[in-house]
Every structure is written in C-alpha cells, then in structure tokens.
Amino acid sequence: MMKESNEWVQAAEDAAYRRYFCGHHRQDVYDTYQIGAEPEDLYPAFRDWVCAGHPDFPLPATLDAVRLGPATDWDALVARAIFRPPFEPPGVALDAVWITSLYRLLGDERTLLSRAVARLLDSDDPLLVRGAYDFFYNERDAAGAEQVAGSVASGRDRLSSVPDPDRPASSLLDYAAVLLHERVLVVDEAGDLADRPALGVARELALAGIGPRHTPRTFGEHDPDWLAAHAADLARANGKWVTSLVRAAMRMAPKMRERVLRELTEVAPERVRTAIQHL
C-alpha cells in the first residue's frame, strides 16, 4: 500500500510484488527477505532500512478502495473483509491480514473495529467465526478479545461439531483452544494474568484432551501448580502431550517432580521413558 496526498492506494491487484517508497527511493520486492540478513546483491540502500512507524491515518480516508469515516458500518465492513478482503499483500502469510492491517493503521477507531469483530464470535457462519479467531490471534490485546472465553464456553458443543474452514480435519473448537492459549499470555500492568476466564476454559478443554501441542508448556509457565495436580489427567486425555509433560516436570521442585513423573509413568510408562532418554 502507498499514500498519494490524503488517499491510500495499493499496487495493481494482480501484482506479485510489494512496493516500498519514500521521497528518495522506491523498491518493488518480489521475494521474502529477512531483515538484517539479505543477500549481498540486494541494492545496498535497502539492506539496512528500519521501519519508522506507520504514518498517521486520520479518517475520513480511503484504503484499498474502501471509504472509511463517521458513517462506516464497522459490523458490515469486517464481515465483508473476512469473506473477501479488499486487498491481500503478496508474500504475506497472515490470516485476516486486511482487517489486522487496518486495525494497526487506525487511531481512536480501533475499538470500533475490534468490537465489531468480537460480535462475530457467536456467528452461525463458520467462516466469520474463524475470521474473528484469526484477528484476535493476531491482536490478542484488542478490545473484545476478552469475550473469547465466554463465547467458547457457551458454544463448546457447537464448535466441536463444526469443521474448521481452514483445516477441515479439525474442529473450530480445536482452533478456539489455540486462541485461548494466546489469551493466557496477556498480562496486565502488574504482570498478572489479564484473562482468568480464558485460563479456566483452557483448563477445561485440556482435561478433555483439547489444546495445542504446547498445552503443557503453557500451564507449566503460567499455572504450574494446576499442571502438577493434573499432569496424569492430561496424559490420559492426550497421549501426544506426554513428552511435553515430562519436560515440564523436569522444571519442577525435586519432590513435586518425583511425584509427577511417577504418576505419568503409571499412565504411559514407555512414552515417559522415551521422553526422559531424549531430554
């Protein structure tokens, strides 16, 4: 995207490049480069660049042919953008990329957008629910993300029966569990867990064997006493977690470690022995 006077426009819709420019240079990037480790043949003026931050984006304005201002229907906007994003930058692997980009550009209107996304959490359309999950995965601190836990808890049965539109072999509940673990990472100004309901729902799902591969690590770092008390239950619920549970146990105090490893061994002796051998 680029700015011409007060309007924001984009590269051609079928372009296979991203365009960066300022008052002195313009660069069309056709590939992916790791900043600070670009190949030597990349033009030197662009090897050591750093982002100076987004320019102000005051409304009213136009972004990718979408007019934004006081009359914007944010509910309709986010739903349309999930179904058909106005623009998807080439080479950027980020779900809900247009809504996320807009959110990061906005000022005071950010809350209007993120609250509109939150109202999609209980939608009957799986695509809209998945889009809302993607947005809050990208922006886990956004206003409205605190509604995820309640939405998942109340819709658990329904979510478990609906295939994930992006990964049909799993359910929307599986991805909701991933999002809840992201919410567990959010802390308040004092450094304490900001979303205890998310932790509570993540616990309930984990005891049913539902959660990402790093589930034991999340609890080990943010809820170690609960993990120690339920390690064997988690191993019974999901055998794929045994190795991570063993690793989490090795970081516990000696007496607690001994007890947890003993309980894990009673559940899955071979997996525990293998995990210990490969530590």
Side-chain angles (χ1 to χ4, degrees), residues 191-213:
D192 298 323
L193 179 67
D195 193 346
R196 297 206 67 83
L199 177 63
V201 179
R203 285 174 172 177
E204 294 175 9
L205 294 181
L207 290 173
I210 302 169
R213 283 188 172 273

Side-chain angles (χ1 to χ4, degrees), residues 243 246-247 250 274-279:
T243 298
V246 170
R247 290 173 178 166
M250 299 305 290
T274 300
I276 292 175
Q277 289 172 358
H278 289 85
L279 287 175

Side-chain angles (χ1 to χ4, degrees), residues 12-18 29-31 90-91:
E13 185 173 347
D14 59 350
Y17 58 85
R18 299 186 303 282
V29 177
Y30 291 84
D31 207 339

Side-chain angles (χ1 to χ4, degrees), residues 1 4 15 28-30 39 42 44 52 63 70 72 82-83 95 108 112 126 130 148 156 213 226-227 240 276:
M1 283 174 278
E4 293 181 356
D28 294 339
V29 177
Y30 291 84
L42 186 64
L63 178 67
T72 296
I82 288 173
F83 283 126
D95 293 321
D108 294 339
L112 297 175
R130 171 69 198 218
V148 170
R156 176 174 172 176
R213 283 188 172 273
W226 184 87
L227 178 68
K240 294 180 180 179
I276 292 175

Side-chain angles (χ1 to χ4, degrees), residues 13 16 61 103 146 170 175 198 202 221-222 267:
E13 185 173 347
Y103 176 82
E146 72 282 354
S170 59
Y175 190 55
E221 294 176 357
H222 301 280
V267 175

Side-chain angles (χ1 to χ4, degrees), residues 186-194:
V186 179
V187 296
D188 59 22
E189 294 180 355
D192 298 323
L193 179 67

